[in-house]
Structures are given as structure tokens and as C-alpha cells.
Amino acid sequence: MNDSTDVQGRLAEKRFKLTRVGVKGVKKPIVVKRPWGERTLNATIDVFVDLPSDQKGSHMSRNVEVTGELVDKTVREPVEGLENLAASMCESLLERHEYASYSEVDIRSDYFLERESPERKKSLENYQIRAKGEGYRDGSIKKYIGATVIGWTTCPCAMEGVREKFKEKYFGISEEIEEMPVITHNQRNNTTLMMEVPPEKEVEVNDLINIIEDSLSSPTHEILKREDEAKAVIQAHKNPKFVEDVVRDILSKILKKYEDFSPSTHVEVKSESEESIHKHNAVAERVTTFEELRK
Amino acid sequence: MNDSTDVQGRLAEKRFKLTRVGVKGVKKPIVVKRPWGERTLNATIDVFVDLPSDQKGSHMSRNVEVTGELVDKTVREPVEGLENLAASMCESLLERHEYASYSEVDIRSDYFLERESPERKKSLENYQIRAKGEGYRDGSIKKYIGATVIGWTTCPCAMEGVREKFKEKYFGISEEIEEMPVITHNQRNNTTLMMEVPPEKEVEVNDLINIIEDSLSSPTHEILKREDEAKAVIQAHKNPKFVEDVVRDILSKILKKYEDFSPSTHVEVKSESEESIHKHNAVAERVTTFEELRK
Amino acid sequence: MNDSTDVQGRLAEKRFKLTRVGVKGVKKPIVVKRPWGERTLNATIDVFVDLPSDQKGSHMSRNVEVTGELVDKTVREPVEGLENLAASMCESLLERHEYASYSEVDIRSDYFLERESPERKKSLENYQIRAKGEGYRDGSIKKYIGATVIGWTTCPCAMEGVREKFKEKYFGISEEIEEMPVITHNQRNNTTLMMEVPPEKEVEVNDLINIIEDSLSSPTHEILKREDEAKAVIQAHKNPKFVEDVVRDILSKILKKYEDFSPSTHVEVKSESEESIHKHNAVAERVTTFEELRK
Amino acid sequence: MNDSTDVQGRLAEKRFKLTRVGVKGVKKPIVVKRPWGERTLNATIDVFVDLPSDQKGSHMSRNVEVTGELVDKTVREPVEGLENLAASMCESLLERHEYASYSEVDIRSDYFLERESPERKKSLENYQIRAKGEGYRDGSIKKYIGATVIGWTTCPCAMEGVREKFKEKYFGISEEIEEMPVITHNQRNNTTLMMEVPPEKEVEVNDLINIIEDSLSSPTHEILKREDEAKAVIQAHKNPKFVEDVVRDILSKILKKYEDFSPSTHVEVKSESEESIHKHNAVAERVTTFEELRK
């Protein structure tokens, strides 16, 4: 075909720059290599560039070509970390969209890690991981890696309310009850941590998953026989947490673990509990930089 | 336009009857009138008929016309029960699709009822209601009404496991602990009851909602101040329930409440708990008739 | 209960400020009054405040109380615009959370408007509306109103590609074909416009819906008989649009319609096409201020 | 723990049999081996058994154990077809739930196949596959395999309506226009085929995907450059299809391909188009047996 059919390349009538133009929901298998082995992830990918004010359309098929080429390469040459794949894609996008000044790639995937129950029974637990890249025309790239963990929160407030009532009612056991974990509402929680990986630094996504999971009242387990179940319940109730506590505990651990990361390092933490006691959810969130957190 | 453009009315090349053909996801406001007042529901509606083997296509715009006419009429003349609206739509569908031998209408909507917390604080709680109609060429109509309730279940098994462990540990309080509700995992649950309304009978959807809500460990409440929250937690833990228990309690109450309903009355109950202790859900279900239940 | 059970009010161990803490997914009916009449909306609401670094928890039941009180008031005294309800809720939240410096309310609802098909057949079309408020301790409030419209886009690029091929093949009709709308892929599209309402100004949400709908290749219609359907198809193909075009046309109309709005007025437009030709979606987006757009 | 904590094993108070009790949404990687190679699928699994009227609860952890053991075995010993894994799981479930008379397993997963565009450009296209098993105490097992394919439908009715109008308007080209594909609405469609695999027979899931894809107006493609896009549009418009046509074409191909399958073989086909011209979807469905289809 001749150039007259490059409708995207024509002059735009309404001259407005567009922040992001591209494709959303491309599904691809990706082979990832980490120190501990290889994994085939079934990923969902969004790919965007910006569009200058004078160009009618973005050549979106280039986004899918970049995705196809770089992702398919991972079958022969597994990529070390999804965030690095996202960063390479961002570079490649700016090469092919010569008119763009910005590129963005977002990759999400199910992920599995082996875990142990309190009784040391092994199971494969499911997590969600997410990587993001942002490319700029000056050659700089920002990359992010993160995870969402499904866990368990037990409410500290209801526990104190019940303890107070129990102290009155079960007078004889008032001392023991001070140390005994008492009933409260508890629920499924999902918590997301997403953080920037500064240049020259590395972040292992399994560490992020561990940090989130350790900040909940308890992890969840796929298989729990009776003995295991009782122990998990006791553990979760010895460790009551608001969503606010979950977010702060993660922030605290992140600061410590990555203490040499630059002040501008971006971090987002969000914890959402599917309250058993309500029909709505409880949410706590912090979006910030390491600089703010270190104050 | 002339008849040559009635592509649907042409002879089908591949002669297979189709079970259901129609439209899905039509959104409409519906005005419903019950003994206790009027409500405007924002409903989502599916409308199907069957298609004989020799006809190429179903005239789907007729489905939407029937929906529009009968639903819009409710603004001037509120309908008494969604299941009656579904039934009228089924009749009207068979009139307009002269080639169809079966029609089906499914209506879902958010719904609200005023409730009281343990401390008698009022709030408007959210439910889902659902109505279904099935029309047959011989003039018979089946109609169904149902509801989905979000509530709360506390696990009886983990509670017994923990009680056993606590008896050993807190030896001095072994007697009190026999009667004291002890910790367990608890979670958000959604339970659906859908039942046939036999000819000449009526079912008030609020009764179905009450039956479901009373069969859970506890209802959920939109607003709970501290005193309320403690009471709700104690109530839920005095009433531990498997999803199996929830389904059976509902079946038992239904049989009693509608004891004069015919043996062929169809009923479906499904209870699903978003297990706080696992990443997956627990489900129990019964699909049956009153005849089977009465055995 | 005594103060020892105010667990939220305790000192936080990990001293981090939280950006947003609150409840998500509260469902409520809201009565809205506009110049053209009253509507009962079934809304879904999120309500957040921030949390200072030294306080353990936010009193989330206050969020639901504010929601209940102000929303229930609309039954007796319908609110003029969801964005005004969001703003009042933001004010009330800062009064009750004396420790918060920021409050945020997000309200989404289904919405219906009467429309006409090309043949002037009336139907009630479904839209989504959304309002947002942000309250600050200094007394300032920001409010936003917006809508999501489902419509129709026809691809200009594929149309030119096909026209080129048809010119070769159907040589005798090469002149007519220059003006004839030719085949292309077309698809369902959903486009969202969200804009700030500056102090002392008003925005009618129906105008925003009109602006979006007029910027698509064609609106969608609930009911289309054959004559109507042909006309709608022709109209949509006379007006081929990329998602980029949709966003720019909306920006252009907004600038004109609200030309007296202050430079800092925030606006977001996002158009997403469920490409019939691909399994993934095409997206274009602009997030900006009136100042940037006027350059 | 002693037997007193086997709460599930206790006598039920309300004596109703339950149709299905189990776990829903267990996520697992599964390694599948087919003649053409191995694949790691990220699957979502539901696992149920029935429950006799006199037993309080089902031991759900056994469901997850069976899942874990049989699925993990696929890493060392890849399973030949998901439906065979589902069948083995059904057998194992009946062994472990000695009180159950029925077991059911449902497995869904993303899936990828290499495809070519009209210009022979290769891409990896995404599909959903699904397998189901049903086990009975008499030792019989039913197994099912199926797939959901996202494709493309172009409406034959609107095309005829437009052709009629174009004939009047573009009088000089009335002959050419009889053969020229003219504009119509077209849209993303998803179609599901699920069929029983009779004992001693095999069904290759790739064949089912091919059958569905060949029954749509056109497959969708991840990457289409301009020349490809024009060809795909022309191909889709030369092949206009109602959802009714899609379902019947699949039924016809299935009957031919599996002509030696027993009359009782169950088959379900459902095609749903996300109508570009409406906000709702169009659906056609057939649920039947080979016996009925052969009449």
C-alpha cells in the first residue's frame, strides 16, 4: 500500500497532545529466570506511548510487535525479572515510535511459591506479581516491581471490645484472659506493594512477597488439616492488625531492607480487607518516596 | 424496507434448533410495589426465546421492545414483584415471536432494606434480588424469585480445634471455656436462594432475605460502633456455621414456611464463604424440589 | 465502654502518615434533583481520610455514618448534583475526623437518559456517572463530575486500506467509491470524561454525556428495527474515529463549552475500544488542565 | 487431636443431602503433554463432592490434597489432556470421601496457539480451555473438554439493509454492489464449545478451537499491519454471521468430525457478541446430545 493509507501519520485536526495511547490486555506467556530457577508466567500486558499534538494516530501495531518480539525472545533467553523486560520494551517502543517522548509498559501475572503450613505441610501458594516500565526520550528509564498477596487480618479493635465484655462475664478467669487471644472478626485481605527499582539496584520479587506476607496477621494456606488449622487461627489472633498496621509494617520493613536506595525511590502500599462484619471493604494506602518515609 | 431484508426470517442452512437466543445485559430502572411501599430498582435483564431448526435468526429487537414496553409501564403502574414482571414478559415474548415455543427472562437488581444493629442503630443494608420467568407455548408459565445475601460465617471446626488446645493450656479455666465462644476463622459469605413460585401462590422476597440472613452465623452491618461491634462478634461466634449448615438451615426454613407449596416446586440454595484462612472459597449447594426435601 | 477500647486512638508504633484510610464499596440509593427532574440512583461509594503518623487507626465507622446521614437526607431533600453531595460529605468527614487533614469521596452510579434512534424511536439508554470530592483542612474543597458512555467506533485506517483495494477491484465504480462509506472494523467503545467543577461554577452531567456521545462514531441504541439499523450503520461509517480522535474531540468541545473555567481546572478523558479485530483493547487518554489545553 | 474435633464427621441436625460441597478457585500450574509438545498452564480449579443427609460437613481439605497431589505429579509426569486430569481427580475424590456418591472437577486455563495473519505473519493467540470430570460411586466417569474463543462477527441483517439503501443511492453501481461486501456493524464475539469425551474416545482441544474459530466471521489477530488489516476486514465481511449461525456451524462440524461418537454424547455451544451497535450483548445457545442433533 502507498503512504496515503497511513491514516495514523496524517496531521491531527484537533491539536491536542495525548498522554497515553496504546493497547491494553495483551496476553502472553513469558519465561522468567531468577537465581532460584525458571518459571513460565501467563502475563497480561498494557503498552502505551504518548502522541504529539500534530499527529492523528499512534501506530498501535508497533506496540504489539515490540511485545511479541521481546516476550517471545524470553522462550530462548529467559528474562531476569519482569521489570527488566518492561524496561527493554520501553526502550524499544521509543525507537519504533520516533514521534513519542514517553513509553509505558505494565505487566501482570499469576505467580506461585512453595510454602509451609504451621505443621510443615508443603503447598504451592498463589500470588500476583506486577512490573512496570516508563521510558523517556532522554534515554532514562524508570522501572517498578511489585506483588499482591492474599492474606488474613484479625481486627484488634473488636478483640479489645470483646475482651472487656468477657472480663466482666467470666470474672474468675480475668487474669488468664488478659493473655488469651479472644474472638474478633477476621477476613481475607489483599495487600499490594509496588516499588521503584533505582538504576544499578536489584529487587527480588520474592522478597517483596515475603515482606507483605509477614506484615499480615497470618498468611493463608491452601491445605490445613485440623491441627494446622487450630495453630493458624491462634497465630492470626496473636497478631491482630488493622489495614493501617499492615501498610505501616510493610513501609518499615522496606525502609530497612533497601536502606541504600535513593531518596527519590517511589513506593506504593495498599491493603484492603474484605471485612467479614460489613458488606464493604476497609482500605489503607500510602503513596510516597523513600525521602518522605525517612523523615 | 421490503421483505428481502428480513434476513432473520430466511430459511436456515444448517437445520438445528437453538435452545436460547436473545439479548443479555439490558439495563433498566423498574418500579416495584410491595405491601410495604414502592422502590425504583436499577435492573439488569436477559431475554431469550428458542429458535426452530428451519429459521435463520431470531428477531432480537422484539426482545428489547417487550422489555422496554413492560418495564416502562411500571413507572405508571408499579409491578407487584419482579417475578410477575418476568412472567408477563415471557407471555409477551411468545406472542411476538410466533415461531418460538419457549421464552425466558432473568432480572437481577440491587435492593435495600432497613436493618438494626445489636444496639438498635438503624442502617440501610444492600441485597441482590433476582427473578426469572419461563414461558411455554401451551400457555404455562413458571416463575422464580430469589435473593443473594452477604453475611458472615464462623468456622465450627477450627473453633473446636482451638478449644481443645486452650483446654490444655489454660487448665484452670477449663470449665468456663466449655461455654465460652473461642477464636476461629470467620469470613464474608454470600448465599443465594432461588425458588419457584407455584401458580396461585405468592412469595415475598423480603421473607427469603430474612430466611437467608437468619441462617448465617450473623448478618453483616454497615455501621457498628465499638459496643455494637463486640456484640456482633460474640453473636457470630455463638453461632458457628459451615456453608453446609447454612444451606440446610435455609432448606429447613423454606419447607416450613411454604408447607402448602406443591411437591414439584423447584428450589436452589448455594452458600459461598470467602475463607479468611485460604485463598480459595468454600461452597455448598443443593438443587432440588420440595418433593425430594420432604422425603 | 471505656477509653481503653479506643484501639484506633492509640499511639502508632510505626510512625508513618497514611495517604488514604477508609471504606470502599458502600452501596446506597441516592435521590438527585436536577432542573429536569428527580432520579433515584443506586450508588457505590468510597470514603477516605488521611491519617497522621502518630495515630494507630482511623475511625472508619464515622465514614459510614457520614455517608448514611448525608445520603439518607437526600430522600427528604434531594441533592442537586452528586458532586455537591460528595463535597458536603468531604466537609463533614473533616469535622468528625478531627485528626485528618484530607478527605476524599468517590460516588459511582448507573444512570439513564431518554434517547431517539435515527427513525425517532425512543428508548432509555444506560450511562455511568461518577462524582468525586476532595476536602482540605484549610476549608477548600475540590469537586469533580464525570460520566462513562458506551458507544461505537469505526476504524478510519482499515477503511482507507479497504477503499484502496476496492478501487483496484471495482474499477468501474472508482468515482462513486470515493464518497461511499466502505467496510471497516467497528466495535463497542467506552469513553470516560471526568472534570473538575471550579468554585462558583456548575456542570450539568447530561452535557458531559452529550459531549462524549457526540464525539464517538455513533451512539449505541437499545432498540433498532431494520430501517433504523441501516441508518445507524451508515451514520457510524460516515464518521470513522480512532480512540485518539474521540479524546481530542471531547477536549475540544469541553474547552469551548466551559471557556470561562479557570486555567487550573483539571480534566481527564479516556477512550477504550474493544477492538473487534483483536483480542486486546485500544486506548487513548489525556490527563491535564485547561491551562495546558489552551496553549 | 482426638475424634471429638472431627466436627465435619458429626451427625447433621437438619437431614438434607447436599448436591455439591467443596472448594472453588484453587489456582495451580499444570503441565500438559499433547502430541505437539508440552505446555505449562496456569489453571483455576473447582473441586466438589456430594454430601449424604446424615453427615454434618464435607472434609474440604481432602479436595485440596487431591488437587495438590495429582496436579503436582504433572510436573514430573505431564498429563495428556486436562480432561484426563479431571477424571483422575474425580476417582481419587471418591476414594478419599468414602461417604460421597458423586465427585466433580472443573478446570479452566488460559492457552496459546500460534496463528498466521492473512499476510502469513505469525503471532501467538490467546484462548481459554476448560475441562470437567464427573465421578460416580459405581465407578463410571464422565469427562468433558472445551474452549472459549474470542473472534469476530459481522451482522448479515444490517448488511442487507444497507445494501438495499446503497442500491437506491448509488444507482450506477447497482450490479457491482450485489457482489461487493458492504458496511455493517461488527464486533468482538466470544464463543464456547464444551463436549463430552465418550469412553475409549479422544478429543484434541486444538481441534475444538479450530472448529470454533472457523465458524466465526473471522478470527481475530494480535498483530495486523495495514495490508493485513484490509484483508481481514474484507474476509470478515464476506462471511457475515449471526450468533445463531455461529452455533449451528459449530454443531454441524462437530457432528461430522466426531461421527462415531455415541448418541448420548453431551454438547453445549454458546456464542455471545458484544454488539457494537447496542450496549447489550446478543447470545445464541444450544445444550443437547448427539442423538438430538442427528435427528
Side-chain angles (χ1 to χ4, degrees):
Chain A
M1 291 189 176
N2 62 31
D3 262 16
S4 75
T5 60
D6 178 8
V7 182
Q8 284 88 351
R10 292 180 191 167
L11 270 181
E13 282 172 55
K14 311 276 168 48
R15 301 281 176 101
F16 297 112
K17 175 185 174 11
L18 294 178
T19 320
R20 301 197 305 170
V21 181
V23 297
K24 195 173 148 183
V26 177
K27 292 201 168 186
K28 283 279 181 195
I30 300 176
V31 186
V32 182
K33 181 189 181 178
R34 299 299 295 169
W36 37 268
E38 278 186 26
R39 286 277 188 290
T40 299
L41 306 176
N42 287 0
T44 302
I45 311 175
D46 303 341
V47 186
F48 303 107
V49 294
D50 63 352
L51 188 67
S53 60
D54 54 357
Q55 182 168 328
K56 181 173 170 69
S58 184
H59 297 83
M60 295 195 193
S61 63
R62 298 180 191 171
N63 296 12
V64 197
E65 283 174 326
V66 163
T67 308
E69 288 167 27
L70 292 192
V71 168
D72 292 355
K73 219 177 98 184
T74 68
V75 178
R76 300 178 306 275
E77 223 178 289
V79 72
E80 297 188 18
L82 278 192
E83 70 279 22
N84 296 317
L85 174 62
S88 312
M89 286 175 66
C90 283
E91 279 183 285
S92 192
L93 284 165
L94 287 177
E95 278 165 27
R96 308 231 189 151
H97 294 275
E98 63 287 352
Y99 44 80
S101 68
Y102 172 74
S103 59
E104 186 182 312
V105 171
D106 197 314
I107 308 176
R108 283 112 31 220
S109 173
D110 269 321
Y111 187 74
F112 297 93
L113 289 176
E114 199 177 70
R115 293 298 199 222
E116 280 189 349
S117 73
E119 292 283 282
R120 315 197 87 53
K121 201 168 167 60
K122 282 179 178 156
S123 71
L124 212 54
E125 296 293 325
N126 171 247
Y127 305 94
Q128 290 275 329
I129 58 172
R130 182 176 169 201
K132 209 180 146 184
E134 295 169 359
Y136 300 88
R137 183 52 73 192
D138 68 4
S140 66
I141 303 269
K142 284 191 182 181
K143 53 189 190 183
Y144 305 82
I145 182 75
T148 297
V149 174
I150 294 177
W152 191 4
T153 55
T154 54
C155 176
C157 170
M159 191 182 279
E160 285 315 290
V162 170
R163 194 187 303 279
E164 201 78 2
K165 288 196 143 345
F166 275 11
K167 271 201 236 173
E168 292 163 30
K169 182 161 185 201
Y170 303 98
F171 181 74
I173 58 165
S174 57
E175 263 168 72
E176 285 86 348
I177 218 165
E178 288 294 340
E179 57 164 291
M180 190 198 291
V182 299
I183 59 173
T184 187
H185 67 92
N186 51 73
Q187 53 265 320
R188 193 180 289 173
N189 168 289
N190 69 77
T191 296
T192 299
L193 161 60
M194 188 83 183
M195 66 178 278
E196 196 178 343
V197 183
E200 327 269 307
K201 299 290 181 190
E202 288 206 7
V203 170
E204 164 57 59
V205 73
N206 292 14
D207 290 339
L208 301 187
I209 291 174
N210 292 343
I211 283 173
I212 302 172
E213 208 158 45
D214 291 349
S215 302
L216 294 155
S217 291
S218 164
T220 55
H221 305 276
E222 198 178 64
I223 305 179
L224 290 170
K225 304 303 283 186
R226 272 203 295 281
E227 184 68 24
D228 254 337
E229 195 185 28
K231 285 188 174 172
V233 168
I234 292 170
Q235 179 187 332
H237 283 78
K238 281 189 170 163
N239 198 19
K241 294 264 186 128
F242 288 136
V243 282
E244 292 95 320
D245 297 319
V246 175
V247 172
R248 281 167 167 158
D249 285 1
I250 290 170
L251 292 172
S252 171
K253 284 168 190 157
I254 287 287
L255 266 197
K256 206 165 169 182
K257 171 103 190 162
Y258 305 103
E259 57 180 355
D260 58 337
F261 277 23
S262 77
S264 68
T265 306
H266 183 86
V267 60
E268 298 186 19
V269 186
K270 184 177 181 180
S271 183
E272 182 161 350
S273 279
E274 300 174 9
E275 301 285 286
S276 59
I277 204 166
H278 302 300
K279 294 181 184 70
H280 57 257
N281 291 358
V283 178
E285 188 180 17
R286 180 75 193 268
V287 178
T288 191
T289 60
F290 273 39
E291 184 169 22
E292 284 299 315
L293 292 176
R294 284 172 184 151
K295 270 179 187 168
Chain B
M1 290 188 176
N2 61 31
D3 262 14
S4 75
T5 61
D6 179 7
V7 182
Q8 284 89 351
R10 292 182 190 166
L11 270 180
E13 281 173 55
K14 311 275 165 52
R15 301 282 176 102
F16 297 111
K17 174 184 174 12
L18 294 179
T19 320
R20 302 196 304 169
V21 181
V23 297
K24 195 174 148 183
V26 177
K27 293 200 168 187
K28 282 280 182 195
I30 299 177
V31 185
V32 183
K33 181 189 181 178
R34 299 298 295 170
W36 37 268
E38 277 185 27
R39 286 276 189 289
T40 300
L41 305 176
N42 287 359
T44 303
I45 311 175
D46 304 341
V47 187
F48 304 107
V49 294
D50 64 351
L51 188 67
S53 60
D54 55 357
Q55 183 167 326
K56 182 173 169 67
S58 184
H59 298 84
M60 297 195 193
S61 63
R62 298 179 192 172
N63 297 11
V64 197
E65 283 174 327
V66 165
T67 308
E69 287 166 28
L70 294 191
V71 168
D72 292 355
K73 218 177 97 184
T74 67
V75 177
R76 300 180 306 276
E77 223 178 289
V79 72
E80 296 189 19
L82 279 192
E83 71 279 21
N84 297 317
L85 174 62
S88 314
M89 286 174 65
C90 283
E91 279 182 286
S92 192
L93 284 165
L94 287 176
E95 279 165 28
R96 308 233 189 150
H97 294 274
E98 62 288 351
Y99 44 80
S101 67
Y102 172 75
S103 60
E104 186 184 312
V105 171
D106 196 315
I107 308 177
R108 283 111 33 217
S109 173
D110 270 321
Y111 187 75
F112 298 92
L113 289 176
E114 198 176 70
R115 293 298 198 222
E116 278 191 349
S117 73
E119 293 282 281
R120 312 195 93 47
K121 201 169 167 60
K122 283 179 177 157
S123 71
L124 213 53
E125 296 293 324
N126 171 248
Y127 304 94
Q128 289 276 327
I129 58 172
R130 183 177 167 199
K132 209 180 146 182
E134 295 167 0
Y136 300 87
R137 182 54 70 192
D138 66 5
S140 66
I141 302 268
K142 286 191 180 178
K143 53 190 188 180
Y144 304 83
I145 182 75
T148 297
V149 175
I150 294 177
W152 190 3
T153 54
T154 55
C155 177
C157 170
M159 191 183 278
E160 285 317 288
V162 170
R163 194 187 303 278
E164 201 78 1
K165 288 196 141 349
F166 275 12
K167 270 202 236 171
E168 291 163 31
K169 183 160 182 197
Y170 303 98
F171 181 74
I173 59 166
S174 56
E175 263 169 72
E176 285 86 348
I177 218 166
E178 288 294 341
E179 58 164 290
M180 187 198 294
V182 298
I183 58 174
T184 186
H185 68 92
N186 51 74
Q187 53 266 318
R188 192 181 288 172
N189 169 288
N190 70 76
T191 296
T192 299
L193 161 60
M194 188 84 185
M195 67 177 276
E196 196 178 342
V197 183
E200 327 268 306
K201 299 289 180 189
E202 287 206 9
V203 171
E204 165 57 59
V205 73
N206 292 14
D207 291 338
L208 300 187
I209 292 174
N210 292 343
I211 283 173
I212 303 172
E213 208 158 46
D214 291 349
S215 302
L216 294 156
S217 291
S218 164
T220 56
H221 303 277
E222 198 178 64
I223 304 179
L224 291 170
K225 305 303 283 185
R226 271 203 296 280
E227 184 67 24
D228 253 337
E229 195 184 28
K231 285 189 175 172
V233 167
I234 292 170
Q235 179 187 334
H237 282 78
K238 281 188 173 164
N239 198 19
K241 293 264 186 124
F242 288 135
V243 281
E244 292 95 320
D245 297 319
V246 174
V247 172
R248 281 168 167 157
D249 285 1
I250 291 170
L251 292 172
S252 170
K253 285 168 189 158
I254 287 288
L255 267 197
K256 206 164 170 183
K257 171 104 191 160
Y258 305 104
E259 57 179 355
D260 58 338
F261 277 24
S262 77
S264 68
T265 307
H266 183 85
V267 61
E268 298 186 19
V269 186
K270 183 177 180 180
S271 183
E272 181 161 351
S273 279
E274 302 174 7
E275 302 284 287
S276 59
I277 204 166
H278 302 299
K279 292 181 185 72
H280 56 257
N281 291 358
V283 178
E285 189 179 16
R286 180 77 193 267
V287 179
T288 191
T289 59
F290 273 38
E291 184 169 24
E292 285 298 315
L293 291 177
R294 283 171 185 153
K295 271 179 189 170
Chain C
M1 291 188 176
N2 62 30
D3 263 14
S4 75
T5 61
D6 178 7
V7 183
Q8 285 89 351
R10 291 181 191 166
L11 269 181
E13 281 173 57
K14 310 277 165 50
R15 301 284 176 100
F16 297 111
K17 174 184 174 13
L18 294 179
T19 320
R20 302 196 306 170
V21 181
V23 297
K24 196 174 148 184
V26 177
K27 292 199 168 188
K28 283 280 182 195
I30 300 176
V31 185
V32 182
K33 181 190 183 177
R34 299 298 295 171
W36 37 268
E38 276 187 27
R39 286 276 188 290
T40 300
L41 306 176
N42 286 0
T44 303
I45 311 175
D46 304 340
V47 187
F48 304 106
V49 293
D50 64 351
L51 189 67
S53 60
D54 54 357
Q55 183 167 326
K56 182 173 168 69
S58 184
H59 297 83
M60 296 195 193
S61 63
R62 298 180 192 172
N63 296 11
V64 197
E65 283 174 326
V66 164
T67 308
E69 288 167 28
L70 293 191
V71 168
D72 293 355
K73 218 176 99 185
T74 66
V75 177
R76 300 179 306 276
E77 222 178 290
V79 72
E80 298 189 17
L82 279 192
E83 71 278 21
N84 296 318
L85 175 62
S88 313
M89 287 175 64
C90 284
E91 279 182 285
S92 192
L93 284 164
L94 287 177
E95 279 165 28
R96 308 231 189 151
H97 294 275
E98 62 286 353
Y99 44 81
S101 68
Y102 172 76
S103 60
E104 186 183 313
V105 171
D106 196 315
I107 308 176
R108 282 115 27 221
S109 174
D110 268 322
Y111 187 74
F112 298 93
L113 289 176
E114 198 176 70
R115 292 300 199 220
E116 279 191 348
S117 73
E119 293 282 281
R120 314 194 89 51
K121 200 168 167 59
K122 281 178 180 158
S123 72
L124 213 53
E125 297 292 325
N126 172 247
Y127 305 94
Q128 290 276 327
I129 58 172
R130 182 176 168 200
K132 209 179 145 183
E134 295 169 359
Y136 300 87
R137 183 52 72 192
D138 67 5
S140 66
I141 302 268
K142 285 191 180 177
K143 54 188 189 183
Y144 305 82
I145 183 75
T148 297
V149 174
I150 294 178
W152 191 3
T153 54
T154 54
C155 177
C157 170
M159 191 182 279
E160 286 315 289
V162 170
R163 195 187 302 279
E164 200 78 2
K165 289 197 142 346
F166 275 12
K167 271 201 236 172
E168 291 163 30
K169 181 159 185 200
Y170 304 97
F171 182 74
I173 58 165
S174 56
E175 264 169 72
E176 285 85 347
I177 217 165
E178 287 295 339
E179 56 164 293
M180 188 198 291
V182 299
I183 59 174
T184 186
H185 67 92
N186 52 73
Q187 52 266 319
R188 193 180 288 172
N189 168 288
N190 69 76
T191 296
T192 299
L193 160 60
M194 189 83 185
M195 65 177 278
E196 197 178 342
V197 183
E200 326 268 307
K201 299 289 180 189
E202 288 206 7
V203 171
E204 165 57 58
V205 73
N206 292 14
D207 291 338
L208 301 188
I209 291 175
N210 291 342
I211 284 172
I212 302 172
E213 208 158 45
D214 292 348
S215 302
L216 294 156
S217 291
S218 164
T220 56
H221 305 276
E222 199 177 64
I223 304 179
L224 291 170
K225 304 304 282 185
R226 271 203 296 282
E227 183 68 24
D228 254 336
E229 196 185 27
K231 285 189 176 172
V233 168
I234 292 170
Q235 179 187 334
H237 282 77
K238 281 188 171 163
N239 198 18
K241 293 265 187 125
F242 288 135
V243 282
E244 292 95 320
D245 297 320
V246 174
V247 172
R248 281 168 167 157
D249 285 1
I250 291 170
L251 292 172
S252 171
K253 285 167 190 156
I254 288 287
L255 266 197
K256 207 164 169 183
K257 172 103 190 161
Y258 305 104
E259 57 179 356
D260 58 337
F261 278 23
S262 77
S264 68
T265 306
H266 183 85
V267 61
E268 298 187 19
V269 185
K270 184 177 179 179
S271 183
E272 182 161 349
S273 279
E274 301 174 9
E275 301 285 285
S276 60
I277 204 166
H278 302 300
K279 294 181 184 72
H280 57 257
N281 291 359
V283 178
E285 189 179 18
R286 180 76 194 266
V287 179
T288 191
T289 60
F290 274 38
E291 184 168 25
E292 284 298 314
L293 292 177
R294 284 171 184 152
K295 271 179 186 169
Chain D
M1 291 189 175
N2 61 31
D3 261 15
S4 75
T5 60
D6 179 8
V7 183
Q8 284 88 352
R10 292 181 191 166
L11 270 181
E13 282 172 55
K14 311 277 164 50
R15 301 282 177 103
F16 297 112
K17 174 185 173 13
L18 294 179
T19 320
R20 302 195 307 168
V21 181
V23 297
K24 194 174 150 185
V26 178
K27 292 199 169 188
K28 282 281 182 193
I30 300 176
V31 185
V32 182
K33 181 190 182 177
R34 298 299 295 170
W36 38 268
E38 278 185 28
R39 285 276 189 290
T40 300
L41 305 176
N42 287 359
T44 302
I45 310 175
D46 304 341
V47 187
F48 304 107
V49 293
D50 63 352
L51 188 67
S53 61
D54 55 356
Q55 183 167 325
K56 182 173 168 68
S58 183
H59 298 84
M60 296 195 192
S61 63
R62 298 180 192 171
N63 296 12
V64 196
E65 284 174 327
V66 164
T67 309
E69 287 166 29
L70 293 191
V71 168
D72 292 356
K73 218 177 98 185
T74 66
V75 177
R76 299 180 306 277
E77 224 178 288
V79 72
E80 298 189 18
L82 279 192
E83 71 278 23
N84 296 317
L85 175 62
S88 313
M89 287 174 64
C90 282
E91 279 182 286
S92 192
L93 284 164
L94 287 176
E95 279 165 29
R96 309 235 188 147
H97 294 276
E98 62 287 352
Y99 44 81
S101 68
Y102 172 75
S103 60
E104 185 182 313
V105 171
D106 197 314
I107 309 177
R108 282 110 35 218
S109 174
D110 269 321
Y111 187 74
F112 298 92
L113 289 176
E114 198 176 71
R115 292 299 198 220
E116 279 190 350
S117 73
E119 293 282 281
R120 313 195 90 50
K121 202 169 167 57
K122 282 178 178 156
S123 71
L124 213 53
E125 296 293 324
N126 171 247
Y127 305 94
Q128 290 275 328
I129 58 173
R130 182 176 168 200
K132 209 180 145 183
E134 295 169 0
Y136 300 88
R137 182 53 72 193
D138 67 5
S140 66
I141 302 269
K142 285 191 180 178
K143 54 189 188 183
Y144 304 82
I145 182 75
T148 297
V149 174
I150 295 177
W152 191 3
T153 54
T154 55
C155 177
C157 170
M159 191 182 280
E160 285 316 289
V162 170
R163 195 187 302 279
E164 200 78 2
K165 288 196 141 351
F166 274 13
K167 271 201 236 173
E168 293 161 30
K169 183 160 183 201
Y170 303 97
F171 180 75
I173 59 165
S174 57
E175 263 169 72
E176 285 86 348
I177 218 166
E178 287 295 341
E179 57 164 293
M180 190 198 291
V182 298
I183 58 173
T184 186
H185 66 91
N186 52 74
Q187 52 265 319
R188 193 181 287 172
N189 169 288
N190 69 76
T191 296
T192 298
L193 160 60
M194 188 83 184
M195 65 178 277
E196 196 178 342
V197 183
E200 326 269 306
K201 299 288 180 189
E202 288 207 7
V203 170
E204 165 57 58
V205 73
N206 292 14
D207 291 338
L208 301 187
I209 292 175
N210 292 342
I211 283 173
I212 304 171
E213 208 158 45
D214 291 349
S215 303
L216 294 156
S217 291
S218 163
T220 56
H221 304 276
E222 198 178 64
I223 305 179
L224 291 170
K225 303 305 282 185
R226 272 203 295 283
E227 183 68 23
D228 254 337
E229 196 185 28
K231 285 188 175 173
V233 168
I234 292 171
Q235 180 188 333
H237 282 77
K238 280 188 172 163
N239 198 19
K241 294 262 186 127
F242 288 136
V243 282
E244 292 95 319
D245 297 319
V246 174
V247 172
R248 281 168 167 159
D249 285 1
I250 291 170
L251 292 172
S252 171
K253 286 168 188 156
I254 287 287
L255 266 197
K256 206 165 170 185
K257 170 104 191 160
Y258 304 104
E259 57 180 355
D260 58 338
F261 277 23
S262 76
S264 68
T265 306
H266 182 86
V267 61
E268 298 186 19
V269 185
K270 183 177 180 181
S271 183
E272 181 162 351
S273 279
E274 302 174 7
E275 301 285 286
S276 59
I277 204 165
H278 302 300
K279 292 182 185 71
H280 57 256
N281 291 358
V283 178
E285 188 179 17
R286 180 77 194 266
V287 178
T288 191
T289 59
F290 273 38
E291 184 168 23
E292 285 297 315
L293 291 178
R294 284 173 185 151
K295 271 178 188 169

